[in-house]
Amino acid sequence: MSEASLQQVDPELARLIAAEETRQAQKIRLIASENYASRAVLEATGSVLANKYSEGYPGRRYYEGQQYIDAVEQLAIDRAQALFGAEAVNVQPYSGTPANLAVYLAFCNAGDTILGMGLPHGGHLSHGWSVSITGRYFNAVHYGVRREDGLVDLDQVRELARQHRPRLLWAGFSSYSRVLDWGAFAAIAREVDAIFVADMAHVSGLVAGGAYPSPVPHADVVTTTTHKTLRGPRGGMILCRAAHRKAINAAVFPGVQGGPHNHTTAALAVALKEAATPAFGQYAQQVVANARALAEALRAKDYSIISGGTDNHLLVVDVTHNRPLSGKGAARALDAAGLVCSANTIPFDPRKPFDPSGIRLGTPAVTSRGMREPEMRQIADWIDRVLKDPTNEELQRVVAAEIAALCAGFPAPGLPER
Ligand SMILES: *Cc1c(COP(=O)(O)O)cnc(C)c1O
């Protein structure tokens, strides 16, 4: 007797998954936080490890039957320590936000002061933004970028740190296109006796591949997602100094989580093995080269890039500059044409967050398909054609067909052959 397949059990759901596969295959995905995980990573994610409970840590569990789970988790820990040169690693956080919540729990009491980059300036919700639990339960103070050049204002960071004496100093971003001076943040944190937490969620793959400076030598604690540039399963991870290992482990479990998602831990181990290869290093370098090429090509068409360009995998474009556009309108028109991106606030944005002035573009996913500089210039051409006439649905259909044709020549990792 063979068991019924997903297609047989739930054809309605199977159709939705197949449609999403086609969407991911035929569109150019420019959402900076997204990627294509490999088939090996997806296989581990879909494995029977999802059936097992294992609250605790390797060698110290609350349930029996951990003969293989302990080895899986230890493999992920060892690979992460080796790849990033970290003294201690926790691979259990369910995602980036829970990883950050564990850091708050490890070091803060409710009401403590924390200092992080403001959301509209490129920071993340979980760095104390008002609508997040981290803004509600802590006294969050925010720094930002300078109006003149769009770069993080380290003088402001130092001034605010001296004035407010935060318990945690956060550095890290979701929409900042430059290199952060991790060492300078560490020095400021030392001066005011703060714990320095680097959130490398967006750039951990670039760090692994040597294409972006590592915060690990500088930070007390480093948090990351595992599904962005790192190309792993959806999840989170915390790297820290040995002195913080106990506090971090206790904060993750039983502090903010229950049992770890072992299928995700296994898939993370696979991704960490992939990320340690020379090929991944080349991938990381190409992600940055592609982002630079895309930014250059857009600048040549008179688009205004926040901070003037990029040193990482993303760029934020002010689409209102010399154009009758908004971020949401631009993102919608581009999606209809097969170019998927996100609307994004720009620093000092006069518009509202749901329909801001910018769009954020990223190159991790297109680079995973093997696209290079010539394709980035082609993508800039398509973006410009669509945004010149953003309500022209016929044009959007034509561009979408051209894009599907290009994509057919660049098969994406992890997707079924078609
Ligand atoms: C994406 C991101 C997170 C949150 O990750 P989730 O997995 O979506 O919870 C945290 N911090 C930064 C800087 C991010 O970019």
Side-chain angles (χ1 to χ4, degrees), residues 99-403:
N100 288 350
L101 290 181
V103 174
Y104 286 92
L105 184 66
F107 299 107
C108 298
N109 290 308
D112 280 357
T113 298
I114 65 109
L115 178 57
M117 177 140 78
L119 186 70
H121 289 241
H124 189 260
L125 286 162
S126 60
H127 299 181
W129 201 242
S130 58
V131 294
S132 151
I133 186 171
T134 61
R136 291 264 302 270
Y137 287 18
F138 301 96
N139 172 39
V141 181
H142 290 107
Y143 58 86
V145 300
R146 283 188 296 254
R147 201 183 270 277
E148 314 87 78
D149 57 11
L151 300 181
V152 164
D153 187 347
L154 282 168
D155 295 332
Q156 185 198 23
V157 177
R158 194 176 303 104
E159 208 169 288
L160 289 171
R162 284 176 181 163
Q163 184 186 343
H164 296 280
R165 311 283 305 184
R167 181 80 180 116
L168 299 179
L169 172 59
W170 288 88
F173 52 81
S174 303
S175 56
Y176 182 69
S177 61
R178 297 299 185 176
V179 166
L180 285 183
D181 184 346
W182 304 117
F185 278 97
I188 293 169
R190 261 195 310 276
E191 188 190 322
V192 300
D193 255 333
I195 301 274
F196 172 35
V197 193
D199 180 350
M200 62 169 181
H202 258 260
V203 292
S204 53
L206 304 183
V207 169
Y212 195 89
S214 173
V216 174
H218 304 286
D220 298 295
V221 179
V222 177
T223 61
T224 185
T225 57
T226 54
H227 48 275
K228 295 179 183 174
T229 49
L230 193 57
R231 248 160 93 179
R234 293 202 88 84
M237 185 160 62
I238 304 176
L239 325 179
C240 65
R241 300 203 192 284
H244 300 310
R245 181 199 320 253
K246 271 184 88 168
I248 289 293
N249 283 353
V252 172
F253 173 82
V256 298
Q257 294 191 169
H261 293 178
N262 295 308
H263 53 305
T264 303
T265 308
L268 172 57
V270 176
L272 291 164
K273 181 174 183 178
E274 292 173 344
T277 60
F280 194 89
Q282 285 157 18
Y283 163 72
Q285 303 290 343
Q286 190 63 45
V287 167
V288 177
N290 280 350
R292 288 213 168 104
L294 184 58
E296 247 344 284
L298 288 170
R299 264 167 64 100
K301 297 176 190 302
D302 193 34
Y303 284 88
S304 167
I305 316 287
I306 303 304
S307 87
T310 181
D311 301 318
N312 58 30
H313 63 298
L314 69 83
L315 47 140
V316 178
V317 185
D318 176 0
V319 293
T320 66
H321 174 75
N322 289 342
R323 288 181 172 80
L325 290 168
S326 74
K328 195 73 188 165
R332 286 232 171 100
L334 290 171
D335 185 43
L339 297 147
V340 193
C341 71
S342 44
N344 209 94
T345 51
I346 62 171
F348 311 101
D349 203 328
R351 300 179 59 92
K352 295 264 185 293
F354 190 71
D355 189 6
S357 298
I359 56 173
R360 185 188 65 171
L361 306 174
T363 54
V366 291
T367 309
S368 290
R369 307 183 77 141
M371 292 185 187
R372 302 175 70 91
E373 288 87 343
E375 288 74 40
M376 299 306 114
R377 290 189 278 275
Q378 171 72 68
I379 288 170
D381 283 345
W382 277 319
I383 289 173
D384 188 43
R385 259 169 79 196
V386 171
L387 293 188
K388 270 189 177 133
D389 195 0
T391 56
N392 185 341
E393 292 177 12
E394 180 50 32
L395 170 70
Q396 289 162 6
R397 270 190 293 277
V398 169
V399 170
E402 291 174 12
I403 284 173

